[in-house]
Amino acid sequence: MYTQQDEKRLYEQAKHLLSHDAASAEGTVIQLREVIIYADWKYYVQSNPVLADSEYDILFKKLKHLEDKYPELVTADSPTQRVAMGLSERFPSVSHLVPMLSLDNTYNAEDLTDWDRRCRELAGIDDIEYCAEPKYDGAGISLIYENGNLARGATRGDGVMGEDVTTNIRQIKAIPLSAALIKEGIQQIEIRGEIVIHKNVFEAFNKQRVAEGLSPLANPRNAASGTLRILDPNEVKKRGLNSILYHISDYTLIEGHSRPVGLLTHYDALQWLYSLGFPTPAKEMQKFKHIDQVIKFCHEFEARRDDLPFEVDGLVIKVNDFGLQEKMGSTSHHPRWAVAYKFKARQATSKLRRVEFQVGRVGAITPVAKIDPVHIGGVTVTSVSLFNEDVVREKDLRIGDTVLVERAGDVIPYIVKPLTELRTGEEEPIKFPTNCPACNSELEKQPEEAAWRCININCPVQVVERMIHFASKDAMDIRSMGNANVQKFFELGLLNDIPGIYNINWNRVQHIEGFGEKSVNNLKEAIEKSKGQPLNRLIFGLGIRHVGETTAKTLASAVSDIREFYTWDIDKLSVLEDIGPKVATSVVDFFARPENRHMIDLLEQAGVNLKNENKGQMKTDGALAGKTFLFTGTLSQFKRSDAEAMVEEKGGSILGGVSAKLNYLVVGEDAGSKLDKAKKLGTVNILSEQEFLTLINS
Ligand code: IVH
């Protein structure tokens, strides 16, 4: 969509427009439009904002102002002419049954006491029961269930119109595709909640992105909302989203036709949903008789906010009784019966003193900012990863800058931006090394990657990192063979490469300070045990670029001995689920290298398991072996699930979207964008239902 050069130009143009105009009003309008469309794309499509919200607002207002003044300059495609900001054109827009409102915010005990007073006035009673639950920091969604089945999932959008993201919502395992609602007398129900991403999933995901030379996403919230709007549902599935549902829409309640019988309070409603299999805050929420108890709970909860697996930015306090809720009503912006209590922001400013460059396991050079110690969310931060050169350039960071640092929960801290208004002019640009800080070989960079790399496979830091990775918990799980010991053994010349782990000179180890008989025996035992690890752990442990745990499992299940990969080519690998050309190329490269084959031989001699007894979890025989299918449109001759089962029965597999990997698209009636895309690709065989049946029976 945009080349790197475009991006650079647009970014600079945006910065310039913040304080300057073009020569003519028309010129300014054209430039503003261009940068806002670009910024929207970065924010909504890429989930990787380039501008601060405030900067974006300034540019947007400026455009609006000029267009108001010169109506002849308005064009249909201007960002100001969108019905709703935030709606991308890639998913159909849908209206919400009732608007998705926001929440009013409170920040302290006093605000809450005020809110309680207003509630009591409005409700006309003195003792209101409140319910408090976490405020999840993700992307709001609306789910409609009809006849017990998930019928529609939509983003919040502007609150009135959202985007129909049902296909993606269906990839989220926390969200039931069906529930026993009919039995409860419910034909239709709208449930609202949040799509969230686990902090550890988010971190792993970012690690992977950085390893692939991409920029990391800013925070779990952006990752969640960005993921919901990815076109390829398979990619959505891989990202492991989660969800928490916290509201039955007023539509369902007020219209009455499907109000759950006997449910009179919010608390009971969420417990009821929970009992039907929906993810709700059933375990975290609590009821209170008095606002003082609520306030106490808010303080306690804030202190343990990090214990939850998701990012939580506050609590939501709700009037528990549905009758009172209805009586109190809503403004156009928020319900009067609910309020958010916001936790303290976990941002702070500090000074960027210097940047160190670290070498990773696969040679990527990571710039790490050293900042003055600063206290954020209970920890002292002194080091902040800057990920790669592009991140540094995009943010225009300089040594001496005052920087805004954010640490969202357990998520690693990151630099939001430099406070450019505080610059003195003495700040210095960050210089990137041309040579590896560990072995001094010249660094290289692939055009499509953000990271500079040291490609010396004997680079000492990489050698050590590879061994640490091999022994790590998720790989061969060799306890006590952590960073410190690997480093020490390496420095003492006891350990030079991965197979060396199985050939340590224990006589020498015994003489190292701190190694008693017991620790030596433990280590020996752990090493011995690792020899029997399943093949997927070995494959993951070998540290093949782009091969994470999941890919390692896929690879392992496709062979009965790791050496089978010596003869696999890119095409053969690409047929495996979730393996694209990039991963396939990397795997082929890895197994083609003589030094890696030698390493595998040495591992075998050491007695390490290279085999997979359970090959065949993937069907590689059958008439459709290796062929991929996708069904689209309304099928009239068979049920989609049956057809998919037939394909799988014959060894074929089902893809989630149209891509170069797709062999057959089977189209029913009213096929839409998938068919268009397949036609455009030109490589997909398009079949009618009848043609499909002929193929499958032939
Ligand atoms: S209740 C009419 N409960 O926060 C009821 N919202 O800042 C409105 N949010 O738009 C929502 N956790 O996306 C509710 N436990 C919770 C929530 C929650 C997160 C989000 C929601 C809302 C936003 C307002």
Side-chain angles (χ1 to χ4, degrees):
M1 170 132 185
Y2 292 98
T3 65
Q4 227 171 355
Q5 262 174 346
D6 290 337
E7 292 212 43
K8 214 168 141 205
R9 175 180 62 80
L10 288 166
Y11 176 72
E12 272 152 22
Q13 187 169 316
K15 289 283 168 181
H16 187 76
L17 284 165
L18 284 170
S19 46
H20 300 81
D21 285 350
S24 65
E26 187 178 8
T28 313
V29 166
I30 291 171
Q31 289 191 9
L32 281 167
R33 214 173 269 154
E34 208 184 354
V35 299
I36 292 171
I37 292 174
Y38 167 64
D40 279 344
W41 178 75
K42 288 297 276 186
Y43 190 97
Y44 291 110
V45 183
Q46 289 223 312
S47 301
N48 188 9
V50 277
L51 299 176
D53 292 356
S54 55
E55 292 173 328
Y56 179 92
D57 288 347
I58 292 171
L59 295 175
F60 195 86
K61 278 191 192 137
K62 202 162 158 176
L63 176 62
K64 186 91 184 66
H65 172 78
L66 281 171
E67 288 183 342
D68 286 347
K69 198 160 155 197
Y70 306 103
E72 70 276 14
L73 296 181
V74 179
T75 56
D77 68 348
S78 172
T80 59
Q81 302 303 301
R82 271 190 218 260
V83 190
M85 285 308 301
L87 296 190
S88 91
E89 264 129 30
R90 308 175 315 145
F91 294 101
S93 310
V94 286
S95 326
H96 291 301
L97 300 177
V98 286
M100 282 181 83
L101 299 182
S102 191
L103 287 170
D104 204 10
N105 289 329
T106 63
Y107 298 92
N108 50 44
E110 201 186 334
D111 293 349
L112 278 175
T113 316
D114 277 352
W115 176 73
D116 165 57
R117 190 181 32 76
R118 289 198 302 275
C119 282
R120 284 183 285 122
E121 277 167 20
L122 278 167
I125 58 164
D126 233 11
D127 40 5
I128 296 181
E129 185 173 61
Y130 294 115
C131 189
E133 70 206 29
K135 182 173 186 307
Y136 299 95
D137 201 9
I141 41 135
S142 143
L143 305 175
I144 297 177
Y145 284 81
E146 277 166 0
N147 301 321
N149 295 315
L150 175 64
R152 187 186 91 178
T155 62
R156 180 174 184 275
D158 66 353
V160 177
M161 304 280 289
E163 286 169 305
D164 185 332
V165 289
T166 314
T167 20
N168 285 348
I169 293 285
R170 291 175 68 92
Q171 309 305 321
I172 301 171
K173 294 218 175 91
I175 296 178
L177 294 178
S178 63
L181 289 157
I182 304 271
K183 246 178 37 205
E184 302 279 320
I186 312 281
Q187 311 307 325
Q188 190 196 36
I189 188 169
E190 186 196 9
I191 306 170
R192 291 179 177 179
E194 208 80 0
I195 300 298
V196 290
I197 191 161
H198 261 258
K199 286 181 279 198
N200 59 2
V201 173
F202 171 70
E203 213 152 306
F205 173 72
N206 259 354
K207 241 194 209 155
Q208 177 74 22
R209 275 183 72 95
V210 172
E212 288 176 11
L214 299 166
S215 301
L217 302 182
N219 51 44
R221 175 178 12 124
N222 284 0
S225 69
T227 304
L228 267 189
R229 310 160 88 249
I230 290 181
L231 274 182
D232 178 1
N234 271 321
E235 181 61 29
V236 179
K237 192 192 252 165
K238 268 201 262 172
R239 292 222 198 158
L241 292 180
N242 216 310
S243 180
I244 308 280
L245 306 174
Y246 46 65
H247 184 62
I248 298 179
S249 133
D250 298 352
Y251 175 78
T252 321
L253 293 178
I254 295 171
E255 302 281 309
H257 57 279
S258 57
R259 177 174 180 153
V261 181
L263 283 183
L264 300 175
T265 66
H266 172 71
Y267 186 92
D268 290 349
L270 293 196
Q271 297 293 350
W272 171 76
L273 282 178
Y274 191 75
S275 73
L276 288 171
F278 291 95
T280 71
K283 294 267 165 353
E284 286 83 30
M285 66 178 176
Q286 284 196 34
K287 291 185 279 192
F288 301 98
K289 293 276 184 213
H290 196 278
I291 198 69
D292 288 345
Q293 296 170 326
V294 174
I295 292 168
K296 189 161 163 261
F297 182 68
C298 286
H299 291 147
E300 285 165 6
F301 202 95
E302 183 161 6
R304 55 183 173 88
R305 64 191 284 194
D306 289 343
D307 297 349
L308 287 179
F310 313 115
E311 188 56 18
V312 165
D313 61 343
L315 286 163
V316 182
I317 327 298
K318 296 173 180 172
V319 169
N320 198 24
D321 185 272
F322 282 149
L324 285 183
Q325 286 188 3
E326 212 171 317
K327 184 167 175 195
M328 295 169 76
S330 303
T331 72
S332 62
H333 173 262
H334 59 263
R336 293 195 188 87
W337 46 263
V339 79
Y341 169 82
K342 299 275 278 196
F343 295 152
K344 278 166 211 69
R346 290 199 284 202
Q347 288 189 334
T349 58
S350 179
K351 268 256 183 323
L352 173 54
R353 294 296 177 191
R354 64 199 157 78
V355 173
E356 286 181 0
F357 295 89
Q358 292 178 355
V359 190
R361 173 165 56 85
V362 288
I365 307 296
T366 305
V368 178
K370 297 291 167 176
I371 59 171
D372 285 348
V374 59
H375 215 62
I376 317 173
V379 298
T380 307
V381 179
T382 54
S383 265
V384 186
S385 173
L386 297 173
F387 302 106
N388 58 47
E389 190 177 11
D390 287 355
V391 172
V392 175
R393 301 266 173 266
E394 273 165 29
K395 294 191 170 154
D396 183 26
L397 285 171
R398 301 179 198 173
I399 307 288
D401 264 336
T402 303
V403 288
L404 184 62
V405 186
E406 181 169 314
R407 182 186 157 268
D410 306 329
V411 176
I412 45 171
Y414 74 101
I415 292 190
V416 183
K417 60 174 183 182
L419 302 178
T420 46
E421 59 277 23
L422 299 181
R423 281 194 178 147
T424 60
E426 309 222 322
E427 294 75 17
E428 304 243 345
I430 294 167
K431 278 203 213 73
F432 273 76
T434 52
N435 294 69
C436 173
C439 71
N440 207 35
S441 13
E442 211 168 306
L443 299 179
E444 290 191 7
K445 184 169 167 165
Q446 297 297 323
E448 75 281 9
E449 288 198 348
W452 285 91
R453 278 177 199 285
C454 166
I455 55 153
N456 170 15
I457 54 162
N458 296 318
C459 171
V461 175
Q462 290 181 55
V463 171
V464 169
E465 291 295 328
R466 281 202 294 268
M467 293 189 285
I468 292 172
H469 172 75
F470 183 85
S472 67
K473 190 163 158 284
D474 297 329
M476 298 297 269
D477 192 20
I478 310 180
R479 304 259 159 92
S480 351
M481 200 63 167
N483 291 15
N485 282 346
V486 172
Q487 186 73 42
K488 193 181 275 170
F489 289 0
F490 179 76
E491 278 163 18
L492 293 172
L494 284 162
L495 191 55
N496 297 310
D497 52 19
I498 288 174
I501 295 175
Y502 297 99
N503 206 3
I504 293 175
N505 182 339
W506 295 107
N507 286 333
R508 283 188 58 198
V509 175
Q510 272 159 8
H511 298 295
I512 306 174
E513 212 189 301
F515 279 87
E517 201 183 317
K518 187 151 174 253
S519 52
V520 168
N521 282 339
N522 284 344
L523 197 48
K524 274 186 185 167
E525 203 177 301
I527 290 173
E528 200 50 40
K529 211 170 126 202
S530 75
K531 293 179 182 172
Q533 289 286 17
L535 185 59
N536 59 304
R537 281 177 172 270
L538 174 68
I539 293 179
F540 177 59
L542 291 176
I544 307 167
R545 267 183 82 189
H546 308 309
V547 175
E549 277 183 86
T550 317
T551 311
K553 279 187 192 146
T554 308
L555 288 171
S557 69
V559 293
S560 49
D561 184 304
I562 195 170
R563 284 164 294 202
E564 286 172 33
F565 287 121
Y566 294 0
T567 58
W568 282 48
D569 60 12
I570 294 178
D571 286 345
K572 193 161 179 191
L573 282 160
S574 300
V575 172
L576 298 178
E577 196 180 318
D578 294 339
I579 293 191
K582 193 165 65 178
V583 181
T585 309
S586 167
V587 173
V588 170
D589 281 355
F590 183 91
F591 288 109
R593 285 175 181 267
E595 66 270 23
N596 290 335
R597 291 187 179 192
H598 181 58
M599 167 166 71
I600 290 168
D601 287 345
L602 292 178
L603 288 172
E604 184 184 38
Q605 283 163 26
V608 175
N609 168 46
L610 306 184
K611 301 205 186 300
N612 167 33
E613 313 286 306
N614 305 322
K615 179 194 167 179
Q617 286 170 8
M618 304 213 12
K619 246 187 144 87
T620 46
D621 48 355
L624 298 179
K627 297 290 179 225
T628 57
F629 286 77
L630 179 65
F631 294 85
T632 187
T634 317
L635 304 171
S636 55
Q637 307 204 24
F638 36 75
K639 267 179 39 194
R640 182 174 303 209
S641 52
D642 291 343
E644 290 178 352
M646 284 192 266
V647 169
E648 281 166 352
E649 178 56 31
K650 300 221 162 191
S653 52
I654 308 295
L655 294 188
V658 178
S659 70
K661 271 196 254 171
L662 185 63
N663 299 125
Y664 295 99
L665 181 71
V666 183
V667 290
E669 245 172 84
D670 297 326
S673 60
K674 289 203 178 94
L675 178 56
D676 296 341
K677 191 168 171 200
K679 280 185 183 156
K680 218 180 267 169
L681 270 176
T683 54
V684 182
N685 295 301
I686 297 167
L687 301 181
S688 67
E689 287 179 68
Q690 197 48 54
E691 286 167 332
F692 168 72
L693 287 175
T694 312
L695 174 76
I696 204 118
N697 293 321
S698 67

